[in-house]
Amino acid sequence: MSRTSMRRVAATAASVALVATGMTVGLGAGAATAAETCSQTSHVSKKDASTWGVTHNYDKTVDKATASPGTEVTYTTVVGTTGIGNPYVNTINDIPPVGFAAPVKATVTAYTPLGQQENEVTPTPNGEGYKFTSTGWFVNSGNPVTLKTTYKVPTSFPAGTVTSRGTGVAGTVGIANEMPQLTACFNLRLPNPGEAALGSMDMAGLGSAEGQLSSTGSVSDVLGDTIINVIQNYAS
């Protein structure tokens, strides 16, 4: 039998062994341990005397339904209007979940004479959150202001639901609003057995020259090569 054929057989056997032990690799292999479900998005509308009959809309979303410690999640906050109003937003205050550090990246997409453009912005600590300011981001029914804030999930977090805290907006023409209920939630799971195995192999140097698995080297391939070596040593 050629080495290629032996490798395929050995890799298959290794895969079966992994399945039997529960050490499968992939997002589908691990389920969030938290029984509680949570919403990735929330919405608030404001229409009162201060808005001059125009409805102001505020939405917040997190980009992942499920994440694991050490990964990044991005919250998107959108401030828009319906009708003929055109307020200016000069501050958005984003309050992340308890225990999160400052955003690793933040951008604002807003109207310019060249159309909607996205630019990086700098967070400023503000109470329990981080504020982003401008001389004024223009808003109308066709041009909302969109803030994206990316945070790293702390590695010490246990599995469960993780909910961001409220959002504050300030500006002109009644756009100002404090919204503790404008939140977004995701489920935090611990690394599944396959991911844990990959991490252990990386630490042991059982990968490429850089101590990582190659782009084509799966766990079953690594174990398959090991099985081949055992067979060849036995045969010799």
Side-chain angles (χ1 to χ4, degrees):
M1 182 183 294
S2 68
R3 181 176 178 83
T4 299
S5 298
M6 290 176 63
R7 194 171 189 274
R8 288 175 180 170
V9 171
T12 300
S15 296
V16 172
L18 286 171
V19 171
T21 59
M23 294 179 60
T24 54
V25 179
L27 292 177
T33 58
E36 181 184 353
T37 59
C38 59
S39 177
Q40 286 180 255
T41 185
S42 61
H43 171 83
V44 172
S45 291
K46 179 183 180 183
K47 184 177 181 181
D48 56 25
S50 70
T51 67
W52 296 86
V54 176
T55 300
H56 294 170
N57 295 309
Y58 312 83
D59 292 274
K60 190 167 188 176
T61 305
V62 64
D63 66 334
K64 296 176 182 176
T66 303
S68 57
T71 62
E72 294 180 354
V73 295
T74 298
Y75 295 94
T76 300
T77 302
V78 180
V79 181
T81 69
T82 60
I84 60 174
N86 58 339
Y88 284 82
V89 172
N90 59 37
T91 304
I92 301 177
N93 189 47
D94 184 64
I95 308 179
V98 176
F100 274 43
V104 297
K105 181 180 180 181
T107 65
V108 166
T109 300
Y111 175 80
T112 72
L114 299 176
Q116 287 270 325
Q117 292 196 340
E118 182 177 32
N119 294 288
E120 288 199 24
V121 289
T122 302
T124 300
N126 185 46
E128 295 180 308
Y130 298 90
K131 69 178 181 179
F132 304 85
T133 60
S134 167
T135 55
W137 292 300
F138 173 83
V139 180
N140 65 15
S141 59
N143 293 285
V145 171
T146 302
L147 168 68
K148 290 186 177 182
T149 48
T150 299
Y151 298 88
K152 187 172 183 179
V153 181
T155 55
S156 60
F157 271 32
T161 57
V162 179
T163 304
S164 70
R165 289 171 288 172
T167 306
V169 175
T172 63
V173 198
I175 197 71
N177 206 354
E178 292 296 329
M179 298 161 285
Q181 73 276 38
L182 194 68
T183 64
C185 177
F186 66 90
N187 287 297
L188 185 69
R189 64 169 175 81
L190 298 180
N192 63 39
E195 291 167 334
L198 285 175
S200 297
M201 287 183 175
D202 287 344
M203 292 178 64
L206 298 177
S208 64
E210 292 77 24
Q212 302 286 335
L213 287 175
S214 69
S215 60
T216 58
S218 65
V219 177
S220 59
D221 288 338
V222 174
L223 295 182
D225 286 339
T226 303
I227 293 172
I228 289 174
N229 292 332
V230 171
I231 294 174
Q232 289 180 334
N233 290 337
Y234 179 79
S236 61

